[in-house]
Amino acid sequence: MDQYEPDRPTAAQAAALRRSLRNGRAAMNRRSLLRASAGGALAAGGLGALSACGIPAAGQTKGGTSAQDHSKVEKTVNFSNWTEYIDLDDGGKHHPTLDTFRRRTGIQVKYTEDINDNSEFFAKVKPQLAAGQDTGRDIIVVTDWLAARLIRLGWVQKLDASNLPNAYTNLSPQFRDPDWDPGRAYSYPWQGISTVIAYNKKALDGVEVKSVSDLLDNPKLKGRVGFLSEMRDSMGMTLLDMGKDPANFTGDDYDAAIARLQKAVDKGQIRRFTGNDYTSDLTKGDLAACVAWAGDVVQLKSDSPDVDFVIPDSGYMTSTDNMLIPNKARHKTNAERLMDFYYEPAQAAALAAYINYVTPVDGVKPYLAKIDKDAADNPLIVPDKAMQAKSHAFRSLSQKEETAYEAQFAKLTGA
């Protein structure tokens, strides 16, 4: 086979991909929610075949390859991002924050919305990165699991901290030290993504829901509970409820969490595993409560007085979309200046006011309050310290773990 082409994904990986494309985050636009998270998406990009095809396995290499930096003479930066993931003016043609950056620095930003799915994008840039070639991009935005893969492959550049004073100072503590990029040497978050419990007050009719245990064990909710079809979200929330840390769990812990969910499936407690199509069921009351993505809840709460959310005492799951600079990028310094620009609280506030995701920037609340007080007071957009302390991330998985865990989850959900 060609050196850089992946083998076909395993059955478990293919099932995970189908879940994401059918009804997971890959099936959504940016404003209604997200894109594929976790193992299913990377499966299509060749998770299982990297080593076999001559690409170094994750964890074997680290550190990127720089190129001559043309930032001083070429006042430009090429920025690839997801669709509908940045502020727009009323005319829908200009991005006010990018215009501010250009006026201040003289650097033109070529902004391209060419990322629709992590695996699709990985497949697009992999041949160039593997061959040590410039991708034509100075900044890319990918989800944490793919960011981890790119860092471990040595395909992104180490950041120059001297060009990132705002980012270093203002990065929220909850995002500072992921296990896949300790100290944020290679990446900075663009936005955070939280998984919580949402409920319909009218459908609950007085039943109290405060935890995943309530979802799984209260017979009054039988057949009216939803979990997410994304493995890391549903399994992470279940592990937390069982007193286990999703950032540091064992295979036995995972097996026990699968068994706990399987029991609820077998007795008909869980109505179904869904992507963001749970939103209509929750609004109508067909689902009384469910594991949900915070980006959906922000919108649902604004449209329906019956919808609300709870953060379990055991905690909640958070992932991130992250800015990275690929190897051989021509404008590294310009890219770092743009990354740092979005860590100015005023710019972060303008972004958060428009897209309503979790801002990774400390000190943003008073700036956001001047634009949208409701958004500033919303802990799903600006988590307070107590909520930040309850945030947990799913640990990085080895190839063997990825295959085994996705297979177990696929069997559980019937994918």
Side-chain angles (χ1 to χ4, degrees):
M1 70 179 173
D2 186 88
Q3 183 180 14
Y4 300 114
E5 286 302 309
D7 286 330
R8 298 176 69 177
T10 67
Q13 292 167 341
L17 176 61
R18 287 194 298 272
R19 287 199 308 274
S20 285
L21 293 177
R22 183 175 64 246
N23 59 10
R25 297 178 188 177
M28 312 169 210
N29 64 46
R30 288 306 315 189
R31 295 305 297 277
S32 66
L33 198 61
L34 311 168
R35 65 273 157 262
S37 72
L42 190 52
L47 173 69
L50 292 174
S51 296
C53 298
I55 301 175
Q60 291 185 355
T61 63
K62 200 163 187 177
T65 304
S66 61
Q68 182 178 354
D69 191 349
H70 299 269
S71 293
K72 288 186 178 180
V73 294
E74 297 179 5
K75 295 293 185 180
T76 188
V77 60
N78 298 309
F79 186 0
S80 283
N81 204 348
W82 297 79
T83 58
E84 299 183 53
Y85 209 16
I86 197 170
D87 53 313
L88 275 173
D89 65 3
D90 291 339
K93 295 183 179 180
H94 297 282
H95 307 295
T97 54
L98 291 181
D99 290 344
T100 299
F101 178 77
R102 174 185 51 78
R103 289 193 299 268
R104 184 189 299 179
T105 65
I107 298 170
Q108 297 283 344
V109 180
K110 182 182 178 182
Y111 185 80
T112 308
E113 295 181 332
D114 62 345
I115 305 178
N116 296 300
D117 174 80
N118 282 294
S119 63
E120 178 187 275
F121 183 71
F122 180 69
K124 183 188 301 184
V125 300
K126 174 169 56 71
Q128 295 163 296
L129 291 172
Q133 299 172 351
D134 180 14
T135 65
R137 300 167 177 86
D138 301 306
I139 298 178
I140 59 174
V141 178
V142 297
T143 308
D144 43 18
W145 57 267
L146 181 52
R149 177 66 54 171
L150 293 173
I151 291 169
R152 291 170 181 171
L153 288 169
W155 288 354
V156 293
Q157 298 186 50
K158 192 170 185 178
L159 301 173
D160 184 346
S162 67
N163 292 327
L164 294 155
N166 291 306
Y168 180 82
T169 300
N170 296 329
L171 176 60
S172 172
Q174 75 180 101
F175 300 121
R176 280 194 176 273
D177 202 32
D179 67 347
W180 47 269
D181 187 15
R184 291 289 181 179
Y186 296 87
S187 68
Y188 270 96
W190 175 249
Q191 297 291 288
I193 306 154
S194 296
T195 304
V196 299
I197 293 176
Y199 59 86
N200 184 307
K201 289 178 277 190
K202 186 175 180 180
L204 284 179
D205 192 25
V207 176
E208 188 173 65
V209 170
K210 291 187 175 181
S211 68
V212 169
S213 287
D214 291 333
L215 298 181
L216 296 176
D217 299 333
N218 192 328
K220 293 181 179 180
L221 299 179
K222 183 177 180 179
R224 300 191 295 141
V225 168
F227 273 72
L228 292 169
S229 58
E230 298 295 345
M231 183 268 285
R232 282 167 172 79
D233 295 310
S234 287
M235 293 303 296
M237 293 292 281
T238 304
L239 285 164
L240 284 170
D241 188 72
M242 298 172 67
K244 303 299 182 180
D245 184 356
N248 185 29
F249 64 90
T250 67
D252 288 342
D253 295 334
Y254 189 89
D255 291 345
I258 284 283
R260 181 152 168 69
L261 288 175
Q262 186 67 60
K263 181 180 178 181
V265 170
D266 292 343
K267 68 182 182 181
Q269 185 77 5
I270 297 176
R271 183 184 183 94
R272 63 192 182 107
F273 291 82
T274 73
N276 85 316
D277 50 330
Y278 67 83
T279 56
S280 60
D281 286 345
L282 184 64
T283 302
K284 290 186 296 184
D286 293 338
L287 285 176
C290 60
V291 176
W293 288 307
D296 274 344
V297 178
V298 171
Q299 295 180 44
L300 292 176
K301 276 176 60 65
S302 67
D303 296 333
S304 172
D306 293 326
V307 174
D308 212 334
F309 74 98
V310 64
I311 303 296
D313 288 341
S314 59
Y316 67 102
M317 298 302 297
T318 301
S319 58
T320 50
D321 285 330
N322 307 275
M323 297 179 284
L324 303 99
I325 300 177
N327 285 356
K328 299 294 184 177
R330 288 178 61 88
H331 312 108
K332 182 173 184 285
T333 299
N334 290 347
E336 289 166 338
R337 291 182 68 182
L338 181 58
M339 292 166 69
D340 194 60
F341 170 80
Y342 278 104
Y343 275 81
E344 296 176 9
Q347 309 309 326
L351 185 62
Y354 188 82
I355 63 176
N356 292 339
Y357 283 78
V358 180
T359 176
V361 181
D362 253 359
V364 76
K365 186 169 184 175
Y367 294 88
L368 183 55
K370 295 177 182 178
I371 305 170
D372 185 338
K373 190 176 186 307
D374 288 341
D377 291 336
N378 191 330
L380 297 181
I381 299 174
V382 186
D384 57 24
K385 290 186 189 270
M387 186 166 172
Q388 289 179 14
K390 291 185 176 183
S391 171
H392 296 266
F394 205 93
R395 70 170 172 83
S396 300
L397 299 178
S398 68
Q399 175 188 328
K400 183 178 180 180
E401 288 175 325
E402 186 80 49
T403 301
Y405 292 170
E406 283 290 357
Q408 288 175 274
F409 192 71
K411 183 178 179 181
L412 169 74
T413 62

